[in-house]
Amino acid sequence: MGIKSKYKGDLYNRDLSWLLFNRRVIELANNYNVPYLNKLNFLSIASSNLDEFYSVRVPSIKSQKTLTNDGHDTKTMLRYSEILKKLHDINNTNFRIQSNYFKFLIKRLPDLGIGNFVKYDELCDRMKQKADQKFDEKILPFLTSTTFNSEYNLDFMKNKWMAIATLVKVKNDTSIRIMPIPPYIRRTVSLKVGGKKQYLMMEDLIINNLGNLYDDGEIKDVIVFRLSRDLDASIDLEKNNGSKKTIQNLRHYLANREKGKITMLEIQVLPDTNEKFINTFIKKFKIEPNDVFKIDIPLDLTFMFPLIKSWIRKHPELAYPSFTGEKWNHKETMQDYLKNKDLLLQYPYDSFDQFIQFLKEAVDNPKTIAIKQTIYRVADNSEVIELLKEASRKGIKVTVVVELRARFDETNNLKVTDELEDAGCEIIFGKKYMKVHSKACLIIMSEKSSVQGYVQIGTGNYNEQTAKGFVDLSLYSSSDVYVNCLKSFFDYLAQNGDCSRSPKYNSIVSSPNRIEDMVIQNINLVKEYYQKYGKGKVFLKVNSLTDIDVISAIYDAAKVGVPFRLVIRGSCCLKLGICGEKENIIISSIVGEFLEHSRIYAFYTDKPSFWISSADLMTRNMVNRVELAAKIMDKYNINKIQKIIDIYSEDDVDGFFLDKEGNYFKYENSKNRSAQQTFIQESIKLSKKNTNQNIFYKTITEKISELMNHLMSKNKDAQ
C-alpha cells in the first residue's frame, strides 16, 4: 500500500479548512483583547480573503468536478459536488456571523464620537437635498445602465464590481436594467449634521435617485449585487529571460483573465427586496445555487479600510498601539558584524529597515561586484527596487529573478521588470511551469585577492509595507557555506529548461521535491530516535499543512508516540484522533494583530536541526514551486529560534486550538501567554536598552572629548 493511499479519507479538505480559518478572522471581531477599530478591520480582512478564495480556489474545485465527472477528493473521499455544497453552507454561516458582529459594532460608532451610519429615509429634507446634490456631482457622471433582454448576459460585468439591478415596467412590458458601479466611486457619502459626521451608503443614495434616472417607467423591484469571477486561468510562460514576447504573453493573459465564469453572486437583502425577483435574476443569468449568498449588511466590507484608517488617525486609543521594530543600532556596519557571526531577524519586531540597510551597504560599497536577488511581491514605489536600480547604474552586476506569475501582483511585477531593465539589470523569469517563491539575496564583494560574499535568506517578501504587519524570519550571513550554496542556487535559476528536482546543497534545501524529502526524512529520524530512546519531538510552523506525504509521515510517527507541536495558521488537512492511544499532537492557529507568515521546521533528536523556509507544507510548494529552506547553523541563532519556538508553543491567547471533531476553540482559562505581545514587549525592552546604551556611549564619548580638549588647552597655555 503506497503512502498516499494509506490514509485516504483520514484528512480534512483543504478548502473547507480554509473557510474555518476565515471564520477565525471574523471571530476576532468578538474578542475582548482586540481594540474596537481593529475588530472592524478584521471583518474587512475576512471579506478581502473571501474574494481571492472564490476567484481562485472555488474555480479549481469546479474544474475537478468537471474533469473527474464528480469524482472523489483523495484526502476526504468526498465528491466534489459535496465539497461545493459544504463550502456554501460554511460560508453562509460565516456571512451570518460577520453580519451580526458588523451590525453590533456599527451601533457603537456614535458613542465613540466617530460618526453614524444612516439610511437615506432617515435624513431630513435638507440633508436629503445635500445628499442628492453630491449624487449629481460625484456619482451620476460615472453611471451607465443597460436594459436586458433574453440575448444579453453579464459578461460585461467585471470581477468584484457591484451593480444595481432594477425591474422596470414600461406600459405592459417589464425589463431588467443593470447599472454597474465602478470601484473608484467612494462607497460612503459623508454628511454633517450639527457638527457630527454621518455616513450614507452610496448604493442607498443611488437607489433613492433611480426614480429620476428611470422616469420612463415604473420601478417594481431593486436588488444590489456583486460578482466574483474565476481568475484561476493558468498561464504557461516560455522561460525566455528578458524576452519581450514573454511580457507580451502575460499582458494578453491579464487582459482576458477578468472574463472568467461567475463563481459567487452576493445579493444585499434590503427591507423591501422581492424574493421572486431575486430568483428570476438568478435563473435568467444561469447562476448556480451554491454560488449565491444573500447578505443583510452592505456588500464587500473592504470599503471600510480607508474609513478605519482615517478613524485610527483621529482615535489612536481605539486601535492597537503603534509599533516600530528595532532598527540597526550596532556601532559597526552590518557587513562588519556579519564577518564574525550570523544574524537572525524576526519582522516586524525587528524592522525591515535592516534589510534596506544590508542592501544599501552593498550598493554604497565600491568593493561590491554583484548582487543577485529574487522578487515575488514588492511594495509600490519600492525602496528595494530603487536600490537595485542604483546598484546597476553604479556598475554593479545586478541579476534579479522576477516572478511574473505572482497572482494579483503580475501588473506591478511587469512595471518592476521594465524599471530594472531600463536601469541595466539582468532579468531572469525563473523556471518554466514553476513559480519561483524563494526569498534570497546574494552579495559578492571583491576583497583584495579573495572574494567575499553575504547572503540573506527569508520566509517573506521584500516588501517594506507588508513587513510592518507580517511576521517573518530573515537570516543574514557571510559564511562560505551559505554563500556557495546561493551561488549554485542562482546558477540553477539561470539555466534554461525545467528541472523536476532541484540540485543538492549543503546548508540549504530547495524544492521542487527536496524540501518535502528533507522534512519527511527528518520526521522519520525523530521517529527512529523516539522508538530507541523514548525522546524526541517535532515542531512545525507554517501557513498551511496540506501535503499528503508529509501528513502521512506525521501520522506514522505519531502512532509510536512522537510528540508534535504544530502551529498552522490557515488550512490544516491533518486530523486528530487518527493515530491511536499514543497520539500526542497539539495543533493551534495563531491569528492576531500581525499576520503569522514565518515557516519554521524543527526536529529534535540528539542532534536537533532547525530550518526556516519560504515553503508551506503544501503539495504545490513541495512539487510545483522553487522554494528555499535554510538550516540555522550557529549556536547563538539556534538559541534564538529555540526561544521563538518556545514562545509560540506556549501561546494560549492568540491561538485557536483544533479538537478531534475538527472544530477550533479558545481556552477559557488561558495562562495569558500571547506570542505576539511577548515579542512586542521584548522588542520594546531591547529598544530601550539599546537607546540607553547609545546615550551612555554618547555621554562617555563627549566627556572624553571634553577632557581631551581641556588637556590640549592646558598644554597650549603651558607652552
Side-chain angles (χ1 to χ4, degrees), residues 105 108 270 299 374 468 525 529 599 634 660-661 705:
L105 291 169
R108 291 192 59 203
L270 303 169
L299 306 180
T374 60
K468 295 175 183 177
L525 283 173
Y529 184 76
R599 291 88 164 186
D634 68 296
K660 291 182 180 180
E661 284 69 47
S705 179

Side-chain angles (χ1 to χ4, degrees), residues 236-250:
D236 293 329
L237 292 177
E238 291 292 333
K239 183 188 163 289
N240 297 317
N241 292 331
S243 167
K244 297 298 180 185
K245 184 179 179 182
T246 301
I247 294 172
Q248 288 170 2
N249 289 343
L250 182 60

Side-chain angles (χ1 to χ4, degrees), residues 121-238:
D121 291 341
E122 298 170 350
L123 299 174
C124 65
D125 290 342
R126 185 173 67 86
M127 294 311 296
K128 283 181 180 177
Q129 189 176 2
K130 278 191 174 183
D132 292 340
Q133 184 179 350
K134 289 196 174 189
F135 170 79
D136 292 337
E137 294 173 355
K138 297 184 178 181
I139 299 175
L140 181 59
F142 303 101
L143 299 178
T144 57
S145 180
T146 303
T147 301
F148 281 75
N149 57 35
S150 58
E151 296 178 3
Y152 285 105
N153 55 41
L154 292 175
D155 285 354
F156 74 100
M157 282 283 297
K158 293 184 180 179
N159 178 56
K160 297 199 290 190
W161 277 42
M162 284 179 54
I164 295 174
T166 310
L167 188 66
V168 181
K169 184 177 181 181
V170 181
K171 296 180 181 179
N172 295 322
D173 186 34
T174 58
S175 62
I176 296 176
R177 300 183 186 181
I178 293 184
M179 181 182 293
I181 303 172
Y184 45 79
I185 298 178
R186 289 192 62 158
R187 283 287 300 283
T188 56
V189 177
S190 297
L191 303 167
K192 271 196 174 181
V193 178
K196 295 181 179 179
K197 210 158 197 178
Q198 293 186 327
Y199 298 97
L200 174 66
M201 295 305 300
M202 169 265 295
E203 52 267 33
D204 187 11
L205 181 55
I206 294 174
I207 288 171
N208 281 280
N209 277 272
L210 287 177
N212 297 327
L213 299 177
Y214 300 149
D215 58 1
D216 59 329
E218 179 187 0
I219 295 176
K220 304 296 289 183
D221 287 300
V222 177
I223 60 173
V224 179
F225 71 95
R226 180 173 180 265
L227 297 178
S228 294
R229 293 189 178 277
D230 176 1
L231 302 184
D232 194 41
S234 60
I235 175 171
D236 293 329
L237 292 177
E238 291 292 333

Side-chain angles (χ1 to χ4, degrees), residues 247-307:
I247 294 172
Q248 288 170 2
N249 289 343
L250 182 60
R251 293 189 194 281
H252 179 73
Y253 159 79
L254 292 174
N256 287 283
R257 184 171 65 178
E258 295 288 323
K259 299 175 183 178
K261 292 180 180 178
I262 296 170
T263 57
M264 179 166 64
L265 170 66
E266 299 165 88
I267 296 175
Q268 184 177 357
V269 179
L270 303 169
D272 53 354
T273 299
N274 188 324
E275 192 71 22
K276 184 179 178 181
F277 179 40
I278 291 177
N279 293 333
T280 300
F281 183 88
I282 293 169
K283 186 177 179 181
K284 183 178 184 65
F285 295 109
K286 299 180 178 62
I287 299 170
E288 296 180 22
N290 280 339
D291 297 335
V292 180
F293 297 94
K294 299 170 188 176
I295 305 162
D296 63 352
I297 57 173
L299 306 180
D300 183 21
L301 292 185
T302 61
F303 80 88
M304 293 290 293
F305 283 138
L307 286 174

Side-chain angles (χ1 to χ4, degrees), residues 596-658:
E596 291 294 338
H597 194 252
S598 58
R599 291 88 164 186
I600 304 171
Y601 317 145
F603 310 98
Y604 295 86
T605 62
D606 57 332
K607 296 179 181 178
S609 64
F610 301 87
W611 302 75
I612 65 170
S613 178
S614 63
D616 287 310
L617 297 176
M618 306 174 73
T619 303
R620 71 173 191 189
N621 302 77
M622 302 289 100
V623 179
N624 299 320
R625 287 188 175 187
V626 179
E627 304 270 12
L628 266 185
K631 189 173 184 179
I632 306 300
M633 309 280 277
D634 68 296
K635 187 175 179 180
Y636 177 81
N637 286 316
I638 285 174
N639 291 335
K640 182 170 183 177
I641 200 164
Q642 180 59 63
K643 185 177 180 182
I644 290 171
I645 289 170
D646 290 341
I647 290 170
Y648 276 123
S649 298
E650 293 170 0
D651 176 278
D652 60 2
V653 172
D654 301 322
F656 292 77
F657 289 80
L658 182 67

